[in-house]
Structures are given as structure tokens and as C-alpha cells.
Amino acid sequence: MATEFKKNHAQVCEAWRLLSAVNRAIYLEAAIPKLALLTGDANKARRLFNHLLSAAPKLDEVQRMSGATGESNELYVTARGKTMVIGAESARTMAVLGQLIAALLTGNEVILHCPSQDDMCIEAVKVLYETGISDDVISIANDSQTITLLYIDRLAQVAVTGNNAEVQTVSQELANTDGILTQVIAVTDMEGLSDMLTPDYLYRFITERVRTINTTAIGGNASLLELGTE
């Protein structure tokens, strides 16, 4: 049973990753009105959340690259993987939810951990479930200590909201973990939210990949395949 659960979990998360950012934005856009009400300043929250979602078409862009004869090379971006969104003690709700939306928009599986705002986490995740986002894609981890959670297997990145000291504590702990390199995405400006307004903010949640297609084998100059066989 456990094996089957893990298998299905991976499949659901992969399906979310393979959706276009524009399609993922449709789910998130449906959640914005209710999520914004959780922040205490719904108008400002809607502006922030819609600003993040407006980048969806750009995330779906594919750039053609030059390559060897008989090859087609395309550069695109995709989710990094398992992402923990942490709200530290000093975190504001709007900033935490902004990080959550960014992580989901870019196709990541997300674990939300904001122990000082348990009720907000439960309500936010409930809203996202109501839009059709699976509980395999977004879950809450409130029962464990933050330090313990940082040692989760194959944790690709941590989006932490808090003051500089809190961010530094998380970063130092992650430096002691084994396995893959875990990236830290920090938001420390609770008022202006300037961290989330920079041009490269969403790109910190994703990684670049290149898709290479052998165009010769699918209808190009087949004689090229014979080179070097004589």
C-alpha cells in the first residue's frame, strides 16, 4: 500500500509539473479572492498575487537554440521539485502566501510550514483544494519542528519568509544537510514585498532544461545517418 501511495503521489506531482504555467495560473487565479481575504489587506494582496500570475505566459516560452546538423534544441524552464514554504515567527501572511503562489505557479510540489499561523495554513490549503489542486501537490507540515523538516529527503528548495536572522538560521541548517543542494529563496521585506517584485524572483523556483530532437531520424536528410558507417 505504501509503495502504491508513493507511486500515485509522484504521478500526481509530475502531472502538475507538466501542466503549462498558464494552466496552473487558472487554478491559482480562482483561489486569489479567498486567499487575499486572509491577509488583512485584500486589495494589496490581490495586486501582488495577480502580478505573480501575470508572468505565466513568459514561463511557458521556449527558446530555440543552435546545435549540430540534424538536431533541434529547445531551451525551456521547469519546476525544481519538492519545495518547502516556511513562515518564520516574524512572517506576515501576505508574504507567505505570495511565496506559496510562486512555488505552485512554477509547478513545484509544496509543503507549507508556518507554525505561528496554523489556522491560516489550514484555510489557505482548503481554498486551493477547492480549486482542484490535489493534496499530493500542496500539503501542510505543522506537527514537526522546522529544523527537523529541513532534513526531508530530496528537498529542492526552501522559500522562507522572515527577518534576516531567521533566514540565516534556516540557511545555516540547510548547509549541514546531506544530499542534493537545497536552494533558499528569502523574503524579508514584509511591508514593500520588494523581494517578490524583482524580475528574477519566479525564476528562482525553476531550473533550465534543453530538449534535443534528432530531426534527421524523423524526416530530415536520412543520408546523414550513413556518415561514418563506411
Side-chain angles (χ1 to χ4, degrees), residues 9 20 27 40 46 51 56 73 87-88 90 110 112 115 117 132-133 138 152 154 162 170 189 219 227:
H9 173 81
S20 68
Y27 288 92
R46 281 195 295 269
H51 167 75
N73 297 288
S90 66
V110 180
L112 178 60
Q117 301 184 55
I133 299 176
I138 168 69
I152 288 178
R154 300 203 63 78
V170 170
D189 180 7
L227 295 178

PDB file of all heavy atoms in Angstrom, residues 9 20 27 40 46 51 56 73 87-88 90 110 112 115 117 132-133 138 152 154 162 170 189 219 227:
ATOM      1  N   HIS A   9       1.467   9.405  -5.740  1.00  0.00           N
ATOM      2  CA  HIS A   9       1.881  10.745  -5.336  1.00  0.00           C
ATOM      3  C   HIS A   9       2.828  11.339  -6.372  1.00  0.00           C
ATOM      4  O   HIS A   9       2.667  12.482  -6.800  1.00  0.00           O
ATOM      5  CB  HIS A   9       2.556  10.679  -3.966  1.00  0.00           C
ATOM      6  CG  HIS A   9       3.176  11.964  -3.529  1.00  0.00           C
ATOM      7  ND1 HIS A   9       2.448  12.992  -2.973  1.00  0.00           N
ATOM      8  CD2 HIS A   9       4.461  12.408  -3.585  1.00  0.00           C
ATOM      9  CE1 HIS A   9       3.244  14.009  -2.694  1.00  0.00           C
ATOM     10  NE2 HIS A   9       4.475  13.683  -3.059  1.00  0.00           N
ATOM     11  N   SER A  20       1.110  23.505 -18.286  1.00  0.00           N
ATOM     12  CA  SER A  20       1.710  24.798 -18.606  1.00  0.00           C
ATOM     13  C   SER A  20       1.487  25.752 -17.434  1.00  0.00           C
ATOM     14  O   SER A  20       0.552  25.582 -16.640  1.00  0.00           O
ATOM     15  CB  SER A  20       1.082  25.376 -19.870  1.00  0.00           C
ATOM     16  OG  SER A  20      -0.274  25.725 -19.626  1.00  0.00           O
ATOM     17  N   TYR A  27      -5.950  27.713 -12.031  1.00  0.00           N
ATOM     18  CA  TYR A  27      -6.313  27.195 -10.705  1.00  0.00           C
ATOM     19  C   TYR A  27      -6.056  28.251  -9.628  1.00  0.00           C
ATOM     20  O   TYR A  27      -6.891  28.487  -8.754  1.00  0.00           O
ATOM     21  CB  TYR A  27      -5.480  25.951 -10.381  1.00  0.00           C
ATOM     22  CG  TYR A  27      -5.845  24.712 -11.160  1.00  0.00           C
ATOM     23  CD1 TYR A  27      -5.204  24.397 -12.357  1.00  0.00           C
ATOM     24  CD2 TYR A  27      -6.806  23.821 -10.683  1.00  0.00           C
ATOM     25  CE1 TYR A  27      -5.511  23.245 -13.059  1.00  0.00           C
ATOM     26  CE2 TYR A  27      -7.124  22.665 -11.381  1.00  0.00           C
ATOM     27  CZ  TYR A  27      -6.477  22.388 -12.569  1.00  0.00           C
ATOM     28  OH  TYR A  27      -6.786  21.245 -13.267  1.00  0.00           O
ATOM     29  N   GLY A  40      -5.486  40.482   5.562  1.00  0.00           N
ATOM     30  CA  GLY A  40      -5.733  41.737   6.259  1.00  0.00           C
ATOM     31  C   GLY A  40      -5.717  42.945   5.357  1.00  0.00           C
ATOM     32  O   GLY A  40      -6.115  44.049   5.763  1.00  0.00           O
ATOM     33  N   ARG A  46      -4.332  41.097  -3.628  1.00  0.00           N
ATOM     34  CA  ARG A  46      -4.757  40.758  -4.992  1.00  0.00           C
ATOM     35  C   ARG A  46      -3.804  41.329  -6.022  1.00  0.00           C
ATOM     36  O   ARG A  46      -3.494  40.677  -7.024  1.00  0.00           O
ATOM     37  CB  ARG A  46      -6.184  41.267  -5.242  1.00  0.00           C
ATOM     38  CG  ARG A  46      -7.271  40.383  -4.639  1.00  0.00           C
ATOM     39  CD  ARG A  46      -8.629  40.735  -5.220  1.00  0.00           C
ATOM     40  NE  ARG A  46      -9.031  42.088  -4.864  1.00  0.00           N
ATOM     41  CZ  ARG A  46      -9.739  42.397  -3.792  1.00  0.00           C
ATOM     42  NH1 ARG A  46     -10.139  41.439  -2.957  1.00  0.00           N
ATOM     43  NH2 ARG A  46     -10.079  43.643  -3.536  1.00  0.00           N
ATOM     44  N   HIS A  51       0.047  40.037  -9.959  1.00  0.00           N
ATOM     45  CA  HIS A  51       1.343  40.369 -10.555  1.00  0.00           C
ATOM     46  C   HIS A  51       2.156  39.092 -10.784  1.00  0.00           C
ATOM     47  O   HIS A  51       2.750  38.915 -11.853  1.00  0.00           O
ATOM     48  CB  HIS A  51       2.113  41.320  -9.643  1.00  0.00           C
ATOM     49  CG  HIS A  51       3.559  41.476 -10.014  1.00  0.00           C
ATOM     50  ND1 HIS A  51       3.978  42.223 -11.097  1.00  0.00           N
ATOM     51  CD2 HIS A  51       4.697  40.943  -9.455  1.00  0.00           C
ATOM     52  CE1 HIS A  51       5.296  42.153 -11.196  1.00  0.00           C
ATOM     53  NE2 HIS A  51       5.754  41.392 -10.217  1.00  0.00           N
ATOM     54  N   ALA A  56       2.960  34.095 -16.042  1.00  0.00           N
ATOM     55  CA  ALA A  56       2.772  32.718 -16.511  1.00  0.00           C
ATOM     56  C   ALA A  56       3.117  32.523 -17.986  1.00  0.00           C
ATOM     57  O   ALA A  56       3.832  31.575 -18.331  1.00  0.00           O
ATOM     58  CB  ALA A  56       1.346  32.254 -16.220  1.00  0.00           C
ATOM     59  N   ASN A  73      17.238  21.922 -30.899  1.00  0.00           N
ATOM     60  CA  ASN A  73      17.461  22.130 -29.467  1.00  0.00           C
ATOM     61  C   ASN A  73      16.575  23.250 -28.957  1.00  0.00           C
ATOM     62  O   ASN A  73      16.557  24.352 -29.535  1.00  0.00           O
ATOM     63  CB  ASN A  73      18.926  22.471 -29.204  1.00  0.00           C
ATOM     64  CG  ASN A  73      19.854  21.335 -29.605  1.00  0.00           C
ATOM     65  OD1 ASN A  73      19.898  20.307 -28.940  1.00  0.00           O
ATOM     66  ND2 ASN A  73      20.574  21.503 -30.707  1.00  0.00           N
ATOM     67  N   GLY A  87       7.016  29.990   6.910  1.00  0.00           N
ATOM     68  CA  GLY A  87       6.750  31.293   7.505  1.00  0.00           C
ATOM     69  C   GLY A  87       7.342  31.312   8.900  1.00  0.00           C
ATOM     70  O   GLY A  87       6.889  30.575   9.787  1.00  0.00           O
ATOM     71  N   ALA A  88       8.378  32.107   9.101  1.00  0.00           N
ATOM     72  CA  ALA A  88       9.014  32.184  10.419  1.00  0.00           C
ATOM     73  C   ALA A  88       8.135  33.003  11.374  1.00  0.00           C
ATOM     74  O   ALA A  88       7.066  33.500  11.002  1.00  0.00           O
ATOM     75  CB  ALA A  88      10.400  32.804  10.293  1.00  0.00           C
ATOM     76  N   SER A  90       8.296  35.963  12.534  1.00  0.00           N
ATOM     77  CA  SER A  90       8.023  37.359  12.168  1.00  0.00           C
ATOM     78  C   SER A  90       7.296  37.497  10.829  1.00  0.00           C
ATOM     79  O   SER A  90       7.025  38.605  10.380  1.00  0.00           O
ATOM     80  CB  SER A  90       9.340  38.144  12.099  1.00  0.00           C
ATOM     81  OG  SER A  90      10.151  37.674  11.025  1.00  0.00           O
ATOM     82  N   VAL A 110       4.579  21.373  -3.053  1.00  0.00           N
ATOM     83  CA  VAL A 110       4.813  22.329  -1.977  1.00  0.00           C
ATOM     84  C   VAL A 110       4.373  21.772  -0.624  1.00  0.00           C
ATOM     85  O   VAL A 110       3.291  21.200  -0.488  1.00  0.00           O
ATOM     86  CB  VAL A 110       4.068  23.659  -2.244  1.00  0.00           C
ATOM     87  CG1 VAL A 110       4.329  24.643  -1.108  1.00  0.00           C
ATOM     88  CG2 VAL A 110       4.506  24.261  -3.571  1.00  0.00           C
ATOM     89  N   LEU A 112       3.761  23.351   3.074  1.00  0.00           N
ATOM     90  CA  LEU A 112       3.599  24.629   3.767  1.00  0.00           C
ATOM     91  C   LEU A 112       3.834  24.435   5.256  1.00  0.00           C
ATOM     92  O   LEU A 112       3.258  23.544   5.883  1.00  0.00           O
ATOM     93  CB  LEU A 112       2.183  25.170   3.516  1.00  0.00           C
ATOM     94  CG  LEU A 112       1.805  26.485   4.195  1.00  0.00           C
ATOM     95  CD1 LEU A 112       2.717  27.624   3.751  1.00  0.00           C
ATOM     96  CD2 LEU A 112       0.344  26.825   3.903  1.00  0.00           C
ATOM     97  N   PRO A 115       4.177  27.551  11.557  1.00  0.00           N
ATOM     98  CA  PRO A 115       3.640  27.127  12.856  1.00  0.00           C
ATOM     99  C   PRO A 115       2.975  28.229  13.671  1.00  0.00           C
ATOM    100  O   PRO A 115       2.110  27.942  14.498  1.00  0.00           O
ATOM    101  CB  PRO A 115       4.876  26.567  13.580  1.00  0.00           C
ATOM    102  CG  PRO A 115       6.053  27.122  12.850  1.00  0.00           C
ATOM    103  CD  PRO A 115       5.623  27.293  11.436  1.00  0.00           C
ATOM    104  N   GLN A 117       1.034  30.418  12.431  1.00  0.00           N
ATOM    105  CA  GLN A 117      -0.226  30.763  11.768  1.00  0.00           C
ATOM    106  C   GLN A 117      -0.926  29.491  11.275  1.00  0.00           C
ATOM    107  O   GLN A 117      -1.252  29.349  10.095  1.00  0.00           O
ATOM    108  CB  GLN A 117       0.028  31.713  10.595  1.00  0.00           C
ATOM    109  CG  GLN A 117       0.709  33.025  10.980  1.00  0.00           C
ATOM    110  CD  GLN A 117       0.844  33.977   9.809  1.00  0.00           C
ATOM    111  OE1 GLN A 117      -0.137  34.325   9.143  1.00  0.00           O
ATOM    112  NE2 GLN A 117       2.063  34.401   9.530  1.00  0.00           N
ATOM    113  N   GLY A 132      -9.317  22.598  -7.162  1.00  0.00           N
ATOM    114  CA  GLY A 132      -8.977  21.386  -7.895  1.00  0.00           C
ATOM    115  C   GLY A 132      -7.525  20.967  -7.775  1.00  0.00           C
ATOM    116  O   GLY A 132      -7.114  19.963  -8.360  1.00  0.00           O
ATOM    117  N   ILE A 133      -6.721  21.716  -7.025  1.00  0.00           N
ATOM    118  CA  ILE A 133      -5.330  21.330  -6.815  1.00  0.00           C
ATOM    119  C   ILE A 133      -5.284  20.170  -5.826  1.00  0.00           C
ATOM    120  O   ILE A 133      -5.902  20.212  -4.765  1.00  0.00           O
ATOM    121  CB  ILE A 133      -4.499  22.519  -6.294  1.00  0.00           C
ATOM    122  CG1 ILE A 133      -4.503  23.657  -7.319  1.00  0.00           C
ATOM    123  CG2 ILE A 133      -3.061  22.094  -6.003  1.00  0.00           C
ATOM    124  CD1 ILE A 133      -3.784  24.905  -6.854  1.00  0.00           C
ATOM    125  N   ILE A 138       0.017  20.044  -2.712  1.00  0.00           N
ATOM    126  CA  ILE A 138       0.180  21.009  -1.622  1.00  0.00           C
ATOM    127  C   ILE A 138      -0.280  20.369  -0.319  1.00  0.00           C
ATOM    128  O   ILE A 138      -1.384  19.832  -0.229  1.00  0.00           O
ATOM    129  CB  ILE A 138      -0.598  22.318  -1.900  1.00  0.00           C
ATOM    130  CG1 ILE A 138      -0.671  23.210  -0.655  1.00  0.00           C
ATOM    131  CG2 ILE A 138      -2.001  22.033  -2.417  1.00  0.00           C
ATOM    132  CD1 ILE A 138       0.640  23.792  -0.260  1.00  0.00           C
ATOM    133  N   ILE A 152      14.146  16.723   5.241  1.00  0.00           N
ATOM    134  CA  ILE A 152      13.312  15.878   4.378  1.00  0.00           C
ATOM    135  C   ILE A 152      14.114  15.458   3.148  1.00  0.00           C
ATOM    136  O   ILE A 152      14.833  16.259   2.553  1.00  0.00           O
ATOM    137  CB  ILE A 152      12.029  16.637   3.955  1.00  0.00           C
ATOM    138  CG1 ILE A 152      11.083  16.773   5.145  1.00  0.00           C
ATOM    139  CG2 ILE A 152      11.322  15.924   2.808  1.00  0.00           C
ATOM    140  CD1 ILE A 152       9.824  17.545   4.830  1.00  0.00           C
ATOM    141  N   ARG A 154      15.368  14.754  -0.446  1.00  0.00           N
ATOM    142  CA  ARG A 154      15.245  15.371  -1.766  1.00  0.00           C
ATOM    143  C   ARG A 154      14.456  16.682  -1.736  1.00  0.00           C
ATOM    144  O   ARG A 154      13.632  16.964  -2.608  1.00  0.00           O
ATOM    145  CB  ARG A 154      14.634  14.400  -2.777  1.00  0.00           C
ATOM    146  CG  ARG A 154      15.460  13.140  -2.972  1.00  0.00           C
ATOM    147  CD  ARG A 154      15.195  12.474  -4.287  1.00  0.00           C
ATOM    148  NE  ARG A 154      15.558  13.310  -5.428  1.00  0.00           N
ATOM    149  CZ  ARG A 154      16.806  13.494  -5.858  1.00  0.00           C
ATOM    150  NH1 ARG A 154      17.829  12.929  -5.240  1.00  0.00           N
ATOM    151  NH2 ARG A 154      17.036  14.248  -6.905  1.00  0.00           N
ATOM    152  N   GLY A 162      10.741  35.759   6.603  1.00  0.00           N
ATOM    153  CA  GLY A 162      11.079  36.147   7.965  1.00  0.00           C
ATOM    154  C   GLY A 162      12.113  37.247   7.965  1.00  0.00           C
ATOM    155  O   GLY A 162      12.447  37.804   6.912  1.00  0.00           O
ATOM    156  N   VAL A 170      17.839  29.314   9.016  1.00  0.00           N
ATOM    157  CA  VAL A 170      17.410  28.266   8.087  1.00  0.00           C
ATOM    158  C   VAL A 170      18.539  27.923   7.114  1.00  0.00           C
ATOM    159  O   VAL A 170      18.822  26.755   6.847  1.00  0.00           O
ATOM    160  CB  VAL A 170      16.153  28.708   7.318  1.00  0.00           C
ATOM    161  CG1 VAL A 170      15.834  27.733   6.174  1.00  0.00           C
ATOM    162  CG2 VAL A 170      14.961  28.806   8.266  1.00  0.00           C
ATOM    163  N   ASP A 189      11.310  41.529   3.248  1.00  0.00           N
ATOM    164  CA  ASP A 189      10.617  42.815   3.226  1.00  0.00           C
ATOM    165  C   ASP A 189       9.115  42.575   3.371  1.00  0.00           C
ATOM    166  O   ASP A 189       8.419  42.307   2.393  1.00  0.00           O
ATOM    167  CB  ASP A 189      10.916  43.548   1.913  1.00  0.00           C
ATOM    168  CG  ASP A 189      10.216  44.901   1.824  1.00  0.00           C
ATOM    169  OD1 ASP A 189       9.605  45.322   2.828  1.00  0.00           O
ATOM    170  OD2 ASP A 189      10.269  45.523   0.740  1.00  0.00           O
ATOM    171  N   GLY A 219      12.559  12.576 -40.446  1.00  0.00           N
ATOM    172  CA  GLY A 219      12.174  13.124 -41.744  1.00  0.00           C
ATOM    173  C   GLY A 219      13.155  14.087 -42.357  1.00  0.00           C
ATOM    174  O   GLY A 219      12.874  14.686 -43.392  1.00  0.00           O
ATOM    175  N   LEU A 227      26.684   8.639 -42.518  1.00  0.00           N
ATOM    176  CA  LEU A 227      28.054   9.135 -42.413  1.00  0.00           C
ATOM    177  C   LEU A 227      28.826   8.361 -41.365  1.00  0.00           C
ATOM    178  O   LEU A 227      28.342   8.158 -40.244  1.00  0.00           O
ATOM    179  CB  LEU A 227      28.044  10.636 -42.063  1.00  0.00           C
ATOM    180  CG  LEU A 227      27.436  11.567 -43.127  1.00  0.00           C
ATOM    181  CD1 LEU A 227      27.440  12.995 -42.616  1.00  0.00           C
ATOM    182  CD2 LEU A 227      28.207  11.479 -44.433  1.00  0.00           C
TER     183      LEU A 227
END
